[in-house]
């Protein structure tokens, strides 16, 4: 982690919106569940992070981009939105997740 530029950390997922204070507005956010065999999920500014229907990709598969309102950026971080889409994203589970964010 470098203050104001990047942050590496972990969080416990939630069934409600979860805000992570990163100290900056991320242009790149990668996360993965650590307690199950999940995907590496990437959100970035090229796919419209925080702009409504966020495009997401899995880093470890060749699946197509999928859009859904997964995340919102804040003035100093990111909010992982409660996800009613039956997806395996690490945004609405009660599992431990790791992340990397970059300004």
């Amino acid at each position: 982690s470098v203050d104001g530029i990047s942050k590496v950390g972990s969080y416990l997922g939630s069934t409600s919106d979860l805000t992570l204070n990163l100290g900056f507005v991320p242009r790149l956010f990668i996360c993965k569940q650590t307690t199950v065999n999940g995907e590496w999920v990437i959100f970035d500014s090229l796919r419209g992070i925080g702009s409504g229907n966020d495009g997401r990709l899995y880093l470890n598969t060749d699946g197509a981009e999928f859009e859904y309102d997964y995340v919102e950026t804040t003035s100093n971080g990111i909010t992982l939105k409660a996800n009613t889409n039956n997806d395996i994203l690490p945004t609405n589970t009660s599992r431990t997740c790791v992340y990397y964010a970059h300004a």
Side-chain angles (χ1 to χ4, degrees):
S1 296
V2 177
D3 285 346
I5 296 184
S6 65
K7 186 157 184 166
V8 176
S10 65
Y11 61 90
L12 182 61
S14 174
T15 56
S16 58
D17 290 359
L18 176 66
T19 299
L20 301 176
N21 182 356
L22 306 172
F24 55 86
V25 178
R27 291 185 302 163
L28 172 73
F29 186 80
I30 302 171
C31 54
K32 183 187 185 314
Q33 294 178 22
T34 61
T35 50
V36 296
N37 187 20
E39 311 294 347
W40 285 96
V41 183
I42 184 171
F43 300 97
D44 61 43
S45 58
L46 293 177
R47 272 167 273 289
I49 187 172
S51 65
N53 280 345
D54 313 294
R56 65 95 174 111
L57 290 174
Y58 292 142
L59 290 178
N60 54 317
T61 71
D62 61 0
E65 177 180 319
F66 183 79
E67 292 184 356
Y68 189 79
D69 194 14
Y70 293 111
V71 298
E72 295 294 332
T73 55
T74 66
S75 61
N76 63 351
I78 193 166
T79 298
L80 308 172
K81 305 209 36 178
N83 181 355
T84 57
N85 187 19
N86 196 14
D87 205 343
I88 59 171
L89 290 176
T91 55
N92 72 331
T93 65
S94 58
R95 298 181 176 125
T96 301
C97 304
V98 293
Y99 69 88
Y100 171 77
H102 197 86

